[in-house]
Structures are given as structure tokens and as C-alpha cells.
Amino acid sequence: MHFLFHVNFSNIKAFSLIFTLELFKNSAYDIKYNKIMLEKLTQDGDHMKKIEAIIRPEAFQTLKDGLSAVGISGLTVTEAAGCGKQQGKKGVFRGTSFEIQLVPRVKVEMVIEESRLDEIVDVIIDSCSTDTIGDGKIFISSIEEVIRIRSGERGKEAVL
């Protein structure tokens, strides 16, 4: 007989545990193994987050300096274009009006330890906010695993 339990600890940390209990057949070894796996899944410091910030191009240097000041140096930066509430730009060139549907943006990505998440988000907001429409968005997602190709290192050692 198998049961699947899903426990959500969202009020403590944003992660979920999924584990299987086999009733009426658990040996002492199985119980010990399940306990070790449960402890391994809940250890602090092993969780990583990916932050993707889509910002105004003119805010990038300020953001880069702010992240550098708190010890973040590993970034992936991509030129992007998009629109949201801003709905593009309208302009006039030599008497002809035109509309640009997509506004240029910069996408900044980084993978960090979960314990630094709030600090990094605050740096992004402080560096990029102008209190007007079009300041950008921050997306945060969980990272299952990171592997450094050159050495095969895994987890946070591969990021640092």
C-alpha cells in the first residue's frame, strides 16, 4: 500500500517536499533512509533561486554597481525588447508619425543562494525604480541543480 504526501512549507520557505511512505512494509533500514532523505531535502543553504530582472537599459550600470557592492559578480545580460502597460512609444520623424511597438530593455539573470534573495531583490528595486510605468519586472524561480561543465561541481559550489 503506497501513499503520496505533499507538504507545503510556504509560510517558512517556498519549497515543497514530496515523499512516499510504504505502509506495513517499512523495515528499520527503510525508515532510516527516508529520515536521511527528508533531512537532506530540508537542509538550509542548499536551495538556489534564479532571478531574472527586465529593466530599462539606462538603469543597468547602476544595478551592476549595486550588485557588485554586495558581492554578486556572476550575471548573464541580454538585450531584449518588449511592451507592457507602457504600450510602446510614439514619435514624429521628419513630419511622419510612427509607433514603436516594442521598447528596448535589458534582461539580467543571476543564480543565488536562497538566503540572499531579499537582499538582492532590494538592490534591484533600489537601483532600477523611477516610480514610473516601464521600470521593469523581477521574476524569481527555483533552481533544481547547477553543474559547472568544466569541473563537474554541483550545487552552490558551481555558482560561487
Side-chain angles (χ1 to χ4, degrees):
M1 190 178 228
H2 293 274
F3 289 92
L4 180 67
F5 291 91
H6 178 78
V7 183
N8 189 355
F9 293 96
S10 60
N11 59 341
I12 300 171
K13 287 191 176 184
F15 69 91
S16 297
L17 298 186
I18 299 176
F19 57 95
T20 304
L21 294 178
E22 187 172 332
L23 299 178
F24 309 116
K25 290 186 178 179
N26 281 345
S27 66
Y29 173 79
D30 291 334
I31 293 170
K32 184 177 179 181
Y33 176 78
N34 287 339
K35 183 177 177 185
I36 290 169
M37 291 307 294
L38 185 61
E39 287 173 2
K40 188 174 182 179
L41 285 170
T42 59
Q43 287 175 346
D44 286 337
D46 285 348
H47 301 286
M48 292 176 288
K49 296 288 185 180
K50 179 179 182 181
I51 299 177
E52 296 176 64
I54 300 174
I55 62 171
R56 297 175 187 266
E58 58 270 18
F60 174 68
Q61 189 60 48
T62 306
L63 174 60
K64 185 176 171 234
D65 294 342
L67 291 171
S68 181
V70 295
I72 301 296
S73 59
L75 301 174
T76 299
V77 180
T78 309
E79 289 183 1
C83 67
K85 288 183 180 179
Q86 202 171 15
Q87 297 297 313
K89 292 182 180 178
K90 293 180 182 175
V92 177
F93 180 72
R94 295 187 179 177
T96 305
S97 63
F98 63 92
E99 185 175 344
I100 299 173
Q101 296 286 330
L102 301 176
V103 179
R105 292 288 178 247
V106 173
K107 182 177 178 182
V108 181
E109 300 173 82
M110 66 201 85
V111 176
I112 61 165
E113 294 178 73
E114 186 176 35
S115 61
R116 301 200 62 198
L117 182 63
D118 292 333
E119 173 189 16
I120 303 304
V121 168
D122 289 343
V123 168
I124 295 169
I125 291 171
D126 292 344
S127 300
C128 300
S129 178
T130 64
D131 293 325
T132 59
I133 291 175
D135 280 343
K137 298 272 189 292
I138 301 171
F139 301 94
I140 300 169
S141 54
S142 295
I143 297 295
E144 294 292 323
E145 181 70 272
V146 177
I147 304 167
R148 179 172 286 147
I149 295 172
R150 176 179 48 87
S151 63
E153 291 173 296
R154 292 177 175 261
K156 65 182 177 182
E157 288 79 22
V159 175
L160 301 177

